[in-house]
Amino acid sequence: MDQQIIMKIDDLRMYFNTNGGVFGNKRKIVHAVDDVSLSIMEGETIGIVGESGCGKTTFGRAILRLYKPTGGSIEFMGQNITDMPERKLRQLRSKMVYVFQDPYESLDPRKTVGSTVGEPLIINHLVRNKKEYEKRIAELFEIVNLDPSMANRYPHEFSGGQRQRVAIARSLASDPKLIVFDEAVSALDVSLQARIVNLLADIKERLKITYIFISHDLSVVKHISDRIAVFYLGRVVELSEADELYKNPLHPYTKALLTAVPIPDPFLEDKRDVIFMDGEIPSPINPPKGCPFHPRCPFATDICRTDAPQLVDMGHQHLVACYASQEGRLPK
Amino acid sequence: MANRNKKQPILHISESRRVFKALFKRKIAVISAAVILLTIICAVFAKWVAPYDPYTMDLTNIKAVPSWEHLLGTDALGRDVLSRIIYGSQSALVVAIVSVLIAAISGIILGLLAGYFTKVVGVIIMRFVDTLQSIPMTVLALAIAGLSGGGLVNIVIAIGVSLTSLYARVMRGQVLKVKQSDYILAEKMHGAGNFRIMFLHILPNCIPVLIVTITMQMGSAILMEAGLSFLGIGITPPTPSWGSMVQDGAAVLTTRPLLTIAPGIAIFILVYAFNTFGDALRDALDPRIRNRK
Ligand SMILES: Nc1ncnc2c1ncn2[C@@H]1O[C@H](COP(=O)(O)OP(=O)(O)OP(=O)(O)O)[C@@H](O)[C@H]1O
Ligand SMILES: [Mg+2]
C-alpha cells in the first residue's frame, strides 16, 4: 500500500503554565504533550490510548491548532500549520475537525441542534440557499441515525448519546478529511458504545475520512483502529498495528493496560502474564527524568532513570520506547 | 423512519417567534407589557388624555382634595395632579428607557470587547470604564448641565453614562466565563470568525443574565431622575416629573398625603411592570425553561 501522509507531527510539545501554590506565586509547567512524532496516513484510523491525564485531549486539540504548540511541527495536507496565523488557518478548518469529549458541553444551549449542525455549512459557505441548507442538515441527521424532525429541538431535550450523534453530525457537515474523536463513546453505556462505534466505522467506509480515535479504553479502540499509539505522560511509548499490539504488546505499560482488559476465554486469561503497576501515575508537572514510566516499572534499570528511550522499530512496524523491551529483557 | 414525510420543513420556526410565543403565554408578561404600553400611549397622547393643561395654575384652588373636577386633587400651585402625572410619564419613560438603553448597549459592547480581546483592547477598555465609574453621577450631571444646560437630555446622558460601567463589568465577567465553554471552542474549531463567535454565540449566552439588571435599573433610573431634579440639575421646574412631584409633595405629606402617594404609585406601577416583564423575557429567552409553566 502506498498511502499518503495526511498529517505529519514532529516532536510536538505542548506545555501549560499553571500557578502553583495558594498565592499563585510558584509558576509550574505542565508537560501535557512531550516530543510526540506521528505520521497519520490518509484513510486510516489511529487509536490513541492511555490513562486519564496522559495528554490525549491536549494532543488532539494541539494537532488541530486549537492550542498554540510549545514546540515541534505539524503538517496537514502538505502545509505547515504550526505557526499559521488564525486567519489563514480558518481556510483549513473545514478539513480537520474535532469531536469533543463532553457532549453536554459542546453544543450551544441556546441554539437548536439543527442550527448547530448547520453552523459549519454557513461558516464555510457550503450552501447557497435555505433550501439547500435544510436539505443538507436533514441528510446529516440521517447519517447519524437521528430523525431530521428533531432538528428544531434544543440540546437539553436530548440524551447523552443523541447529543454525541448531533456533535458527530456537525463534524461531518464540512466534508472533513480528518476527524479527531475525543472519547466519543466514553460517556455512553456499553450497548450504545458499540452502536456508535459501528456507526463511525460505517461512515468512514462511505466517506473515506481519516480518524484519530482517542479513548482511555483499549477494548473500544481495538475494534475501530488500524494502528494504535499508547500514550504515557504525554509521550508515545508504543505504536503498532492494532492486532499486533494486542497479540504481542512490547511495552510493560501496554502489557499492564491489557491485563486490565478482560479476555473472554478463561484458558487464555490464565495463560497471560500479569504485570502489575506500582503506584500512581506521576504528575506531568515536573515529570520524572529518563523514561516517564520508570517509577512504576518492575524492569527499570539505571539507564531508564537517566535517559528517555526513543521509539525503535522492532519489526512489522511495531515501535516501542523501552530499553528493557528493546534489549529483550522482558518476559515473553 | 422510512415513511417520514420528506417535504416537512425542518427549521421553520424562527428563534424570535419562539420567544414571542413563550413570552405571551405568560399572563404576567402580558399584563406588564400592557401596563408599559398603556403608559407609552398616555405619554404620546398626553394632550388628549389629560383633562387639564399641566402648567395652568389656579391659585384660588390650591391643594384641593379629590373631586369630580380634579380626580386626584390639585397641588400647591393649584395645578391638576392627574394631568401632571399623565404628562410626567413622558419624562419617566424617556429617562427609564433611553438612559438605560444607552447604558446597556454601550456597556454590553464594551464588556463584550473587553472580555473577548483580553489583551490590549480589554485593558484599555477597562481603564476607561474604571475612569467612568470614579466620576460621581451628580458631578457628571453638573458638568453636562454646565456645558449644555439642564433638562431631560442632561439627565439621560448623566444616568446613561454612570450606569455604563456596571454593564461593562457584568458583561465582561459573563464573557470570560462563556468564552471558556466547549461550544465556543467548537465554533473556533469549525473556522468561525471573531465577529460570528462574539455576536451570535457569546452574546446570546450572556444577555439573559443582564436582562434582569436592565429592567431593574429602568426602575432606579426614574428614582435617580427624581434625585437630580431635586438638586436642580434635572428636569427644570414647571415641566412635570414624577420624581419632583414626590419631592414637592413631601413638604405637605401629613396634611395632603395624596400629593406624594399618587406619583409614588405611578412610579411603583411602572417600575414593577418593567421588572416583571424583564423576568418573563429572561425565562422566554432560555430554551431550557421557556416552556415550563
Ligand atoms: N488548559 C490547561 N491548562 C493547564 N493544564 C492543562 C490544561 N489542559 C490540560 N492540562 C493538563 O495537562 C494534562 C493532560 O490533560 P488532558 O486533558 O490532555 O488529559 P487526557 O488524557 O485527555 O485525560 P482524560 O482521559 O481524563 O480526558 C493534565 O495533567 C491536565 O491537568
Ligand atoms: Mg481527555
Side-chain angles (χ1 to χ4, degrees):
Chain A
M1 274 199 290
D2 52 349
Q3 278 177 310
Q4 294 245 324
I5 293 176
I6 188 164
M7 184 177 262
K8 192 163 182 304
I9 301 149
D10 280 309
D11 300 323
L12 184 71
R13 260 171 292 137
M14 186 70 227
Y15 298 167
F16 294 109
N17 280 316
T18 55
N19 290 324
V22 184
F23 300 104
N25 47 5
K26 284 186 204 138
R27 287 217 155 258
K28 291 195 169 159
I29 296 170
V30 182
H31 296 230
V33 173
D34 221 344
D35 273 331
V36 172
S37 299
L38 204 58
S39 289
I40 294 152
M41 300 296 165
E42 193 160 352
E44 79 168 334
T45 297
I46 184 154
I48 306 280
V49 292
E51 283 168 290
S52 178
C54 70
K56 305 182 295 294
T57 295
T58 309
F59 173 74
R61 292 182 177 189
I63 60 173
L64 298 194
R65 276 296 316 275
L66 294 179
Y67 297 141
K68 181 118 192 47
T70 314
S73 78
I74 310 160
E75 216 174 79
F76 176 65
M77 288 168 71
Q79 295 190 62
N80 187 339
I81 59 168
T82 326
D83 298 306
M84 195 179 264
E86 189 62 38
R87 200 177 313 158
K88 213 171 149 211
L89 204 54
R90 277 177 61 194
Q91 320 288 325
L92 280 176
R93 290 226 178 267
S94 65
K95 295 292 159 221
M96 47 177 200
V97 300
Y98 176 83
V99 176
F100 286 79
Q101 182 161 2
D102 184 353
Y104 289 87
E105 269 288 308
S106 64
L107 307 176
D108 189 334
R110 289 178 189 273
K111 295 278 182 293
T112 62
V113 293
S115 71
T116 293
V117 169
E119 192 74 5
L121 299 175
I122 296 178
I123 294 171
N124 298 299
H125 313 288
L126 297 174
V127 284
R128 269 162 300 172
N129 51 42
K130 195 155 185 241
K131 223 173 119 195
E132 248 180 64
Y133 172 72
E134 292 185 352
K135 191 168 150 263
R136 185 84 178 99
I137 290 172
E139 271 170 29
L140 288 162
F141 269 69
E142 272 167 3
I143 290 177
V144 295
N145 284 333
L146 282 176
D147 187 340
S149 65
M150 291 196 193
N152 261 327
R153 303 213 200 139
Y154 290 89
H156 74 272
E157 298 170 67
F158 287 75
S159 70
Q162 288 172 322
R163 285 180 207 221
Q164 196 60 279
R165 276 182 279 170
V166 170
I168 292 169
R170 170 174 63 183
S171 75
L172 295 171
S174 58
D175 286 323
K177 291 263 182 265
L178 172 74
I179 308 182
V180 178
F181 293 98
D182 193 352
E183 309 270 7
V185 296
S186 306
L188 313 176
D189 63 59
V190 179
S191 65
L192 201 56
Q193 277 189 358
R195 269 178 54 201
I196 301 245
V197 167
N198 289 338
L199 177 75
L200 292 179
D202 202 50
I203 293 170
K204 182 193 161 77
E205 190 87 339
R206 273 190 289 158
L207 305 178
K208 306 271 176 269
I209 310 172
T210 309
Y211 282 176
I212 297 180
F213 198 90
I214 296 173
S215 177
H216 63 269
D217 187 345
L218 263 169
S219 58
V220 172
V221 173
K222 184 183 178 180
H223 293 292
I224 195 165
S225 305
D226 301 317
R227 282 197 301 159
I228 293 176
V230 181
F231 267 59
Y232 188 80
L233 225 58
R235 290 168 181 271
V236 178
V237 294
E238 185 163 0
L239 173 67
S240 145
E241 304 252 302
D243 290 339
E244 163 74 11
L245 187 87
Y246 283 84
K247 266 189 281 166
N248 181 26
L250 292 180
H251 199 283
Y253 176 64
T254 315
K255 287 181 195 264
L257 273 187
L258 282 172
T259 51
V261 179
I263 296 180
D265 185 336
F267 178 66
L268 279 179
E269 178 89 54
D270 278 351
K271 254 187 69 184
R272 70 176 167 180
D273 283 310
V274 177
I275 293 183
F276 291 107
M277 288 182 283
D278 300 325
E280 279 291 301
I281 182 165
S283 155
I285 305 170
N286 309 322
K289 249 189 96 173
C291 171
F293 189 57
H294 85 254
R296 296 166 87 186
C297 180
F299 312 103
T301 52
D302 283 344
I303 186 163
C304 303
R305 286 182 260 273
T306 52
D307 291 315
Q310 299 299 311
L311 280 172
V312 171
D313 192 342
M314 305 296 285
H316 308 288
Q317 324 255 304
H318 192 155
L319 284 71
V320 69
C322 170
Y323 293 118
S325 185
Q326 288 160 7
E327 290 159 11
R329 284 193 279 110
L330 286 192
K332 275 287 161 191
Chain B
M1 226 196 279
N3 55 1
R4 193 182 44 80
N5 181 3
K6 290 231 172 189
K7 290 223 174 71
Q8 181 189 349
I10 54 163
L11 296 164
H12 220 63
I13 314 169
S14 77
E15 183 69 20
S16 47
R17 280 248 309 274
R18 284 174 215 257
V19 173
F20 270 109
K21 258 176 73 183
L23 191 56
F24 289 107
K25 252 198 296 194
R26 277 155 224 265
K27 218 178 274 166
I28 191 98
V30 178
I31 295 172
S32 51
V35 169
I36 296 169
L37 208 67
L38 206 71
T39 315
I40 293 175
I41 291 172
C42 279
V44 174
F45 300 106
K47 216 170 168 182
W48 294 281
V49 178
Y52 294 90
D53 179 79
Y55 299 106
T56 317
M57 295 181 276
D58 180 1
L59 293 175
T60 60
N61 188 22
I62 60 167
K63 297 183 200 165
V65 289
S67 62
W68 283 116
E69 244 154 84
H70 297 282
L71 284 177
L72 291 175
T74 59
D75 69 2
L77 296 172
R79 297 172 296 197
D80 181 51
V81 173
L82 181 62
S83 303
R84 286 186 71 75
I85 286 179
I86 289 169
Y87 271 88
S89 65
Q90 292 174 339
S91 47
L93 281 172
V94 170
V95 166
I97 296 176
V98 181
S99 63
V100 173
L101 283 188
I102 288 177
I105 291 170
S106 47
I108 284 171
I109 291 175
L110 288 174
L112 187 58
L113 291 171
Y116 194 77
F117 302 107
T118 41
K119 297 203 176 117
V120 183
V121 178
V123 170
I124 293 173
I125 289 177
M126 290 325 280
R127 280 287 128 78
F128 172 68
V129 167
D130 285 340
T131 315
L132 272 191
Q133 201 175 24
S134 65
I135 308 171
M137 187 181 63
T138 36
V139 175
L140 197 67
L142 269 172
I144 298 169
L147 287 174
S148 62
L152 199 56
V153 178
N154 181 2
I155 293 194
V156 166
I157 295 175
I159 295 177
V161 170
S162 62
L163 293 179
T164 300
S165 53
L166 177 85
Y167 287 107
R169 249 167 235 296
V170 176
M171 184 67 188
R172 178 170 169 272
Q174 279 298 307
V175 173
L176 288 177
K177 199 183 102 202
V178 169
K179 205 172 79 164
Q180 302 296 323
S181 329
D182 278 356
Y183 59 84
I184 299 297
L185 189 60
E187 284 296 314
K188 186 185 164 196
M189 183 268 292
H190 282 288
N194 289 334
F195 193 80
R196 184 175 185 89
I197 296 177
M198 278 198 289
F199 287 94
L200 263 54
H201 295 275
I202 293 183
L203 190 64
N205 278 287
C206 293
I207 286 279
V209 179
L210 289 162
I211 281 186
V212 178
T213 326
I214 290 174
T215 49
M216 294 250 281
Q217 288 201 326
M218 290 191 166
S220 20
I222 296 176
L223 303 176
M224 287 182 197
E225 178 260 307
L228 290 176
S229 298
F230 181 69
L231 291 176
I233 44 178
I235 292 170
T236 33
T239 313
S241 112
W242 294 353
S244 31
M245 287 173 78
V246 172
Q247 307 273 11
D248 293 346
V252 288
L253 186 62
T254 44
T255 49
R256 289 280 179 276
L258 198 61
L259 288 181
T260 311
I261 291 171
I265 287 176
I267 294 175
F268 170 77
I269 290 175
L270 189 58
V271 169
Y272 192 73
F274 275 129
N275 288 359
T276 45
F277 187 75
D279 269 348
L281 184 61
R282 180 200 46 193
D283 290 352
L285 280 172
D286 190 338
R288 283 158 292 194
I289 51 178
R290 178 178 297 165
N291 295 319
R292 248 181 248 161
K293 277 280 136 120

